[in-house]
Amino acid sequence: MTQHLRIRSRAAAALATAALLAATGCASTSAGGDAAGGGGGGGGGTLVIGATGKLPNLDTVIGGAGFEGKRLLSFQIYEGLTRYELLKDTDKPPQVTGALAESWQVAPDKVTWTFALRKGVTFQDGTAFDADAVLFNLHRYLDKASPEYTDALGAAAKEYAGDIASYRKTDDTHVELVTSSPNGHFPEDLAHVLIASPTAVRKSGSANFSQHPVGTGPFAFASQTEGQQVDLVANKDYWRGAPRLERLVVKALPDPAARTAALRSGGANWIEYPNPDDLESLKADGAQVLSNSYDHLWYWILDTTKGPWADVRVRQAANYAIDRQAIADNLLHGTADPAYQAAPRATAAYDQGDDRYAHDPAKARQLLAEAGYPNGFATSVTVPTGGSGNLLPVPITEALQRDLAAVGIKVDIRTTDWTTLIGAEAKGEVALGSDAIAQSTTLFQSEALLPLFIGSKSPFWTGHYANAKVDELIATAAANPDQSARQAAYRTALRQVTEDAPWLFVVNDRNPRALAPSVHGLVQPQSWFLDLTTVSVTK
């Protein structure tokens, strides 16, 4: 990893500080810095965010840039029937509340859900939101006979809407959705089933809608350089109250040094995941560095049916071999916590008593010898060079490479970009044909994804991990509308995953970001997602 020089002349330091203090974007007038809710719209300046990877396709659910694209863009333009409440109780995982639906109830059959829609909401193009708009979007995602359906939309929608067996409106303000089986986390799923303006989709056609996206969210589309920069403006008719910002600009800056340089020069006034080596100097220059635990795991998925990784003792040995605390402290400078088990710390499924894999090279060597590999073995891993939630993927992997080599496991590191890695994984493949892949994910922020990561019938590449007990626990939990009961079952399932060690558990991210001193009002939740309606930028 490139080391950044710490010694600067007084003049250079003063210039850097002045530039950072001036990094306000195109700020207008101050709108205040409290986090009580959306302001009056206007007067809140321009927020320019430097993102860690390529920006997403802007057509509702298609995305393609991981959850960072959803956080910074999709959830700003669009909403679902539900949303995450991200401004309250930031010391615990966020709950789901009403968005385009005010309330909902499930029938005694546990599959029929009725949603009461919010009245008086309009899309950013002035189209009224109603039950027909919900049906139009569901047709677009689920009905191959719909003129607006595409294979890309259908494939993307399966993650969260694939459980919907039928749907209809009962009147203009109520829709009935029937799931194929009981689904206790259905309201959470619907936060990701984003609703677009039927008028706008028909006008542009599905093929071109990503160039002219229209939703009901707090920010409306203005322009884009595809994959590189997106410009949004405040939706002053937003039903929760107009956001304080006037403009929101998101730039793709995958190189950490480029993000830091942009913050210091004024090219951005907010950067996602600053290089941990830069944090102290950024703070000295006046930057705000915010973080909070959330549902995140950075890990390697091991091929559990191939070579040495097929033996659970080898997988456990690798987990005992690595020094997570050193990675969290020395490489990531406290921006992550060591992960000693499968369940992320900031979830109700986490139990400290399940922390298992302390740094114990002697135990690692013992397990390798018992498995028939006293001299170790050679293996390979494909690593993204950056991307959504991936921290410092190559430097982390290089640290793991050293730890594993110390017990005889020799790792060949193969790098690729994030989009290629997750694109291959979605097809059930491994980019560059390695024995493992390194990646990050959130496991419980979106419960519908859990069986895709640890279920034996997942279409994704999961290292071929399969455990019938885990499958049963996840299925039983998913059917239960009681959240505490679901989390208890998940805790038991993840305890078994920790035992089976299909992954190399490394760290839990703390979601750091660096803001110029001119940025005010951000509420940092225990979530990957953000509510930007409270943010403002001053001169």
Side-chain angles (χ1 to χ4, degrees), residues 369-459:
E370 290 175 4
Y373 299 96
N375 299 316
F377 59 93
T379 190
S380 56
V381 61
T382 297
V383 185
T385 52
S388 180
N390 276 297
L391 314 181
L392 300 177
V394 176
I396 293 173
T397 300
E398 289 171 344
L400 298 174
Q401 183 186 47
R402 291 190 291 271
D403 288 344
L404 293 169
V407 300
I409 302 175
K410 304 169 191 67
V411 179
D412 174 32
I413 299 174
R414 304 169 181 174
T415 59
T416 188
D417 64 276
W418 176 231
T419 301
T420 298
L421 185 140
I422 61 175
E425 183 184 1
K427 298 175 183 176
E429 301 169 356
V430 177
L432 306 181
S434 298
D435 303 323
I437 63 173
Q439 69 172 35
S440 73
T441 191
T442 59
L443 294 176
F444 295 97
Q445 180 86 60
S446 307
E447 293 177 36
L449 298 184
L450 193 58
L452 297 179
F453 291 115
I454 58 176
S456 62
K457 296 180 181 179
S458 174

Side-chain angles (χ1 to χ4, degrees), residues 463-538:
H464 308 106
Y465 174 62
N467 185 305
K469 178 181 177 182
V470 172
D471 287 343
E472 181 180 356
L473 283 164
I474 293 174
T476 300
N480 195 333
D482 183 273
Q483 187 178 47
S484 61
R486 290 203 309 277
Q487 295 290 1
Y490 292 146
R491 189 177 306 118
T492 304
L494 270 293
R495 184 177 297 129
Q496 184 63 55
V497 174
T498 301
E499 170 73 20
D500 294 341
W503 303 337
L504 189 64
F505 315 111
V506 185
V507 292
N508 302 135
D509 180 29
R510 290 188 57 81
N511 211 4
R513 49 185 48 91
L515 283 60
S518 56
V519 179
H520 309 281
L522 172 65
V523 176
Q524 177 103 356
Q526 276 198 359
S527 172
W528 178 253
F529 303 118
L530 293 168
D531 188 323
L532 299 180
T533 61
T534 61
V535 176
S536 63
V537 178
T538 57

